Amino acid sequence: MPEYKALILDLDGTLIGPDELISPRVEDAVREVTAKIGVSIATGRETGDVLKYGRELGLTWPQISDNGAQIIDPTSGDSLWSAPLGEALSRRAMQPIIESGCEFFVTHAGGAVTDLANLHTWELTRVSALDLDEADADAMLESMADESGLDMVKVWLPYNRLWAVDFTRSGINKGSALHVLCNMSGITPSHTIAVGDSFNDLPLMETAGLGIAMGNAPSEVRNAAKHVVPPVEEYGLAHAIERHILPLL
């Protein structure tokens, strides 16, 4: 049996539910793990949210934001590693968003933008089309299928039950970021455990030594996992830690 040395947690739908809060039971369970191994959040959200929840839990390991395009120090807030899109890919990723007029969120070295009028740089790190119904999200993915240089993934938004489409540089996702994090920390991905609930968690679970899916995850994600636990509303992460993770540590 491998010696697990790190736990990697998705944020929305895993660590937090639609209320965007960490339940006391989940917090207690995560803190019990942090006393034994490293714990990192890996999310499609921006660095500010990772810092907020990471600090709430007292996490000290590097944390993954922007769907794998950024790794940050949760104590200082400094970027430890990033994989920006560059101007050409940033413009291509924004094209379907501008054409559809949908809500969006983009990140760059200086912060984040949600309004075209405030988009003063094309050196972006991650581009997200937001608040799409599933048919529109699928159509956007299909329309960009022939674009080289971009990684694209559909992400469930539990706080409004709609979908996002995230764009990062080709080869950049939560799984690739886990490889970088492991290199930083001197461990191998096979010695990590990952818990997630959406399509952007598939590369993470496929890279980690042990994958656990939340009960609210799509069937493709549940099928890729070693264990499936109750949904986030039923404290599934606490269940995962208590039943499947702590006995291994």
Side-chain angles (χ1 to χ4, degrees):
M1 181 179 296
E3 179 182 2
Y4 292 107
K5 298 180 179 180
L7 172 61
I8 316 300
L9 302 173
D10 170 53
L11 185 57
D12 288 286
T14 301
L15 184 61
I16 61 174
D19 60 3
E20 302 197 7
L21 299 174
I22 303 172
S23 73
R25 180 181 170 189
V26 167
E27 180 175 350
D28 288 345
V30 172
R31 287 185 178 276
E32 191 168 355
V33 175
T34 60
K36 299 176 181 292
I37 60 175
V39 176
S40 297
I41 295 169
T43 178
R45 290 203 192 196
E46 67 277 16
T47 58
D49 286 334
V50 175
L51 292 174
K52 171 187 173 183
Y53 291 106
R55 289 169 177 171
E56 184 176 335
L57 292 167
L59 303 183
T60 58
W61 260 52
Q63 308 290 302
I64 298 169
S65 69
D66 296 291
N67 205 40
Q70 187 98 235
I71 298 178
I72 56 173
D73 182 324
T75 303
S76 66
D78 293 339
S79 175
L80 301 174
W81 174 90
S82 66
L85 285 158
E87 181 174 353
L89 289 175
S90 296
R91 289 183 179 275
R92 286 160 63 185
M94 282 297 297
Q95 181 179 345
I97 293 172
I98 294 171
E99 290 175 352
S100 69
C102 69
E103 298 294 320
F104 72 91
F105 193 102
V106 302
T107 59
H108 56 83
V113 177
T114 60
D115 187 335
L116 284 173
N118 297 323
L119 186 58
H120 303 308
T121 178
W122 286 102
E123 293 296 333
L124 306 179
T125 303
R126 184 257 301 168
V127 172
S128 292
L130 299 176
D131 301 345
L132 305 168
D133 63 35
E134 189 167 13
D136 287 340
D138 288 339
M140 183 174 291
L141 286 172
E142 184 176 355
S143 73
M144 299 289 286
D146 295 331
E147 291 288 341
S148 61
L150 290 171
D151 256 28
M152 298 162 276
V153 66
K154 182 174 67 174
V155 184
W156 170 246
L157 303 174
Y159 55 85
N160 63 9
R161 300 188 176 277
L162 293 171
W163 292 85
V165 174
D166 284 352
F167 298 87
T168 53
R169 202 175 75 198
S170 181
I172 301 301
N173 52 53
K174 292 185 183 183
S176 63
L178 178 57
H179 279 288
V180 177
L181 187 152
C182 286
N183 286 337
M184 288 178 175
S185 306
I187 64 174
T188 63
S190 63
H191 289 167
T192 66
I193 303 169
V195 188
D197 79 305
S198 197
F199 293 109
N200 64 340
D201 295 311
L202 280 171
L204 179 64
M205 290 196 290
E206 291 166 354
T207 303
L210 174 63
I212 301 175
M214 302 293 287
N216 43 286
S219 60
E220 296 93 329
V221 179
R222 298 197 306 271
N223 292 339
K226 173 72 172 180
H227 303 294
V228 177
V229 296
V232 65
E233 294 86 354
E234 298 175 21
Y235 313 106
L237 179 56
H239 180 101
I241 291 171
E242 295 159 2
R243 178 165 295 189
H244 300 298
I245 297 173
L246 287 174
L248 300 175
L249 305 182

